[in-house]
Amino acid sequence: MPTVSVIVPVYNAENALSRCVSSILDQEYKDLELILLDDGSTDQSPAICDDFAKQDDRVIVIHKPNSGVSDTRNQGIHQAKGTYIQFLDADDWIPKDSTKMLVRTAQERNADLVVGEFYRVVGENLSRKGSIETDRVLTTKEYAEFMKLSPADYYYGVIWNKLYKKSILDEYAIQMDPSVSFCEDFIFNLEYLLHCKRIAPLLVPVYYYVKTEGSLVS
């Protein structure tokens, strides 16, 4: 059984998908499975997913009718066999030590949730983003106090700079709400936090987030 399940929903991402997948498979941390969920793509994304699966037996590809990112992520969570869950978006990528640092922090600090910093990518420019300056383990209340200072910060709302325990997701049936089309990841995080006791900030960037002009989030 893999220690980490990496979940990537894929929809018409042919231009960036290879970079994303390669960054996962090239991780220094090797004990992972990669679940690629093709959400009814109409470009070359399905073929790219299948090619990676032929090259690496850690890759699991699921081709499915289009149902949106939330339902797709939920199917990935259901499929996952790892102790921990890590999410990526197909447009983005991660540094080589991302998964290693997340898992090490979770294990050494007995954390229910690890939250890392990230790079925001706009064209050729990078800006490092974080919100909590301490690396001590926080209680849920302490984490909430930090969050109240900047509640709209991506650092808290997104799912791709975090490492989750699969056991908590399963025990409390936590999943994305497919009926919500905006801030569904923030709602997911709030529900998950209700069942956390130990939260570990990681003062290392673990993700490259590509800001896409004209996107819903923009």
Side-chain angles (χ1 to χ4, degrees), residues 157-217:
V158 297
I159 60 175
W160 35 251
N161 66 330
K162 301 174 176 67
L163 190 72
Y164 302 86
K165 277 187 174 178
K166 177 68 156 53
S167 59
I168 292 178
L169 296 176
D170 289 345
E171 181 177 357
Y172 299 100
I174 301 169
Q175 60 179 7
M176 300 284 170
D177 185 348
S179 69
V180 177
S181 59
F182 185 66
C183 290
E184 71 284 349
D185 42 4
F186 188 42
I187 295 170
F188 175 88
N189 282 327
L190 290 178
E191 185 174 358
Y192 186 87
L193 284 169
L194 293 175
H195 309 290
C196 289
K197 294 181 179 178
R198 295 174 60 85
I199 301 161
L202 177 58
L203 306 185
V204 174
V206 297
Y207 199 86
Y208 289 95
Y209 160 64
V210 179
K211 184 178 185 298
T212 304
E213 295 298 334
S215 69
L216 178 61
V217 172

Side-chain angles (χ1 to χ4, degrees), residues 57-104:
D57 60 11
R58 295 176 297 169
V59 179
I60 299 165
V61 178
I62 298 172
H63 298 290
K64 52 184 282 299
N66 181 264
S67 62
V69 68
S70 292
D71 180 67
T72 301
R73 285 172 175 156
N74 289 341
Q75 292 189 39
I77 293 170
H78 179 75
Q79 173 74 33
K81 296 179 174 62
T83 303
Y84 300 102
I85 300 288
Q86 184 178 6
F87 293 98
L88 271 80
D89 288 342
D91 291 340
D92 306 330
W93 75 98
I94 51 178
K96 281 184 175 291
D97 61 353
S98 174
T99 303
K100 178 182 72 176
M101 296 296 295
L102 288 166
V103 172
R104 178 185 296 172

Side-chain angles (χ1 to χ4, degrees), residues 98-118:
S98 174
T99 303
K100 178 182 72 176
M101 296 296 295
L102 288 166
V103 172
R104 178 185 296 172
T105 302
Q107 293 177 337
E108 291 182 352
R109 302 185 184 182
N110 190 27
D112 298 318
L113 177 69
V114 182
V115 186
E117 298 184 350
F118 62 94

